[in-house]
Every structure is written in structure tokens, then in C-alpha cells.
Amino acid sequence: MLLKNSVLKISALVLSSMALFAACSGPKDGAQGKDPMITDALDMISQDSIRVYIEDLVSFHTRHTLSSKTDPQKGIGATVEYIRRRAESWADESYGRPMPIIEPVMYPVGGPGSRYDRETTVPEIMVTYPGTEGAREILVMAMIDTRVSDINDSTSFAPGADDKGSGTALLLEACRIISQLPLKQTVKCLFVSGEEQGLDGSAFFAKMAKEQNLSLNPIKISGVCGRLMCCLKYEQDAYEDAVKRLPKAESFVLTPDGPGNVSDVNVLKETV
């Protein structure tokens, strides 16, 4: 019954999501007052596919953020690999449309004050479907991790069919469908981990963007290649090092030309 409810819930969510994505894709039919792209996208939704996604996600035993990253059958690592393989299989069927960009990424968790019992790195993944125009981008997220009552129990059975296998299945079905749509606007689908411990996965790239004084609008923090996650991750270590070495804005400093106050700091250019 739980699986059936999840499938019904997710079907409704996919319907609304497809309307959003397809609205950015094709022209409207003025005579009928309908957008043919929305109609086509809605017709492509498959409850059978959604059921398979949820059953596959449950089969990983647990998707706890601290679960195995290397076991091919269980844990968070197997989950991310499953999403990657799915996205790649749909990319092979894109029939000449722009190929999606698939970005697995590792980020650090744990340390003093956290809800983790150890420090480690954990995976998540972003799939970007390039559009033909650059006016705006759509960023959609779903959490992939699960847990039991003990927040650090990373081995007990935590199937998460409804919470949040349903959300992950939504995004997977959306990926399958939009991989076949001629999108005008770019759509970024982010499958995040660490949410049960404190929204860590979704906060990961937002934190880096904020620290680098970048807009949290994804269109402004994507690199030329369209890769959002890797650009931020690549710059972060160098950025943190520069922050430690440079004076802070409004601070008092001594220079070869005499004392002064720092009015502005450009960390990326390392200028004051």
C-alpha cells in the first residue's frame, strides 16, 4: 500500500513538473489555447517507470548519508551510481538533442557541532539538460538519503519508499522525459544527500556560492561548460586559502604608502 501511495503521489507531482519544464520548451497553439509540448510531456509519464524507480531505490537497503560509498548493491554510493546510469541511458536516447552533463560530486560532512558521528565525504549528483537559449535556468532538487530513528545508524534497513523515494522518483521520471524534449531553457536536476542530517547536500553548493560572493541564481554560477557543481568545488579550496591571507573589508592595514582602511576586497583577483 505504501508503494502504491508513493506512485500515485509522484504521478501527480510529475504532472505539475512536466507542465513547468515543457512551458519553457515550445510555442503555444493559439487556436487551441494549449501548449503541445506540455501535452506531449504529460503523455510520456509512466506509472510503471515510477514504480520501478521506487522499487530499485528500496532495494539499496539504506540510502543513509553515511552508508557505504563502495558497495555496488547497498548504500548511498550505489544510489548515486544508479542515478548516474539511468541519466546516461537516457542521454544515449536523446536523438541529437544537446547531451546532458552528469556531475557526481563529493563534499565534506561532520566535525564539531554537526549531527554526524565522524568526518567524511559523501556523494551526490547533478544532471544538467542544456537549453538552446540562455535567458534563464530551472534548478530542481530531490533528496536521496534515508534514515531510521538513530540519525547515525547507517546500516539498518531504511527503505524510504515514501520519504523520500517518491521525490527521487519524481526527479528521475522528469529526467527521463525532459531528455527527450527540445528545451529552450536549461534544466538542472540535483539529487542531494545529507538532507536528513541538516539539509547539508543542498547547502553545499549554496554555501560555496555565498562564500565566493556569487549570485545564488544558478545561471550566474555555472561555468562556460555549463557545469555548476565542479566549478564551485574547484574554486573553493583556493578561495578559502585566499580569504585567510587577505585583510577583511573595513579593517586597518599598514602599507608601503602608509596606514589605511580596506574599503573592498576581491578575493578571486586577490586585490585590496
Side-chain angles (χ1 to χ4, degrees), residues 53-186:
Y53 305 148
I54 297 175
E55 290 175 344
D56 288 345
L57 291 168
V58 169
S59 74
F60 294 126
H61 183 75
T62 180
R63 303 190 298 279
H64 192 282
T65 301
L66 297 179
S67 59
S68 175
K69 293 175 285 188
T70 58
D71 190 319
Q73 303 297 327
K74 296 181 180 181
I76 193 72
T79 303
V80 170
E81 176 61 15
Y82 169 78
I83 295 170
R84 184 192 66 78
R85 290 198 309 269
R86 283 284 187 181
E88 286 186 349
S89 70
W90 297 322
D92 291 340
E93 300 173 355
S94 58
Y95 306 112
R97 296 175 179 85
M99 291 293 288
I101 301 166
I102 303 171
E103 303 178 72
V105 65
M106 301 291 289
Y107 66 97
V109 298
S114 74
R115 302 180 73 186
Y116 299 89
D117 60 3
R118 59 187 178 275
E119 294 185 44
T120 185
T121 57
V122 296
E124 58 188 17
I125 186 168
M126 173 177 279
V127 184
T128 299
Y129 295 92
T132 58
E133 298 179 2
R136 59 175 174 163
E137 296 183 356
I138 299 172
L139 176 62
V140 189
M141 293 185 289
M143 60 177 281
I144 59 177
D145 56 308
T146 61
R147 55 169 286 195
V148 292
S149 296
D150 181 350
I151 198 169
N152 284 308
D153 181 350
S154 60
T155 60
S156 293
F157 183 51
D162 190 54
D163 184 11
K164 248 330 180 270
S166 56
T168 305
L170 158 66
L171 207 47
L172 282 168
E173 183 67 351
C175 286
R176 184 185 70 82
I177 294 173
I178 63 178
S179 68
Q180 302 174 55
L181 297 178
L183 296 174
K184 287 187 176 182
Q185 311 304 333
T186 294

Side-chain angles (χ1 to χ4, degrees), residues 1-17 45 47 50-51 54 160-170:
M1 179 61 70
L2 182 59
L3 180 57
K4 180 179 179 180
N5 290 341
S6 294
V7 172
L8 292 175
K9 177 193 298 184
I10 206 64
S11 296
L13 291 172
V14 173
L15 286 170
S16 58
S17 296
I45 297 172
Q47 284 199 14
I50 295 168
R51 180 180 299 275
I54 297 175
D162 190 54
D163 184 11
K164 248 330 180 270
S166 56
T168 305
L170 158 66

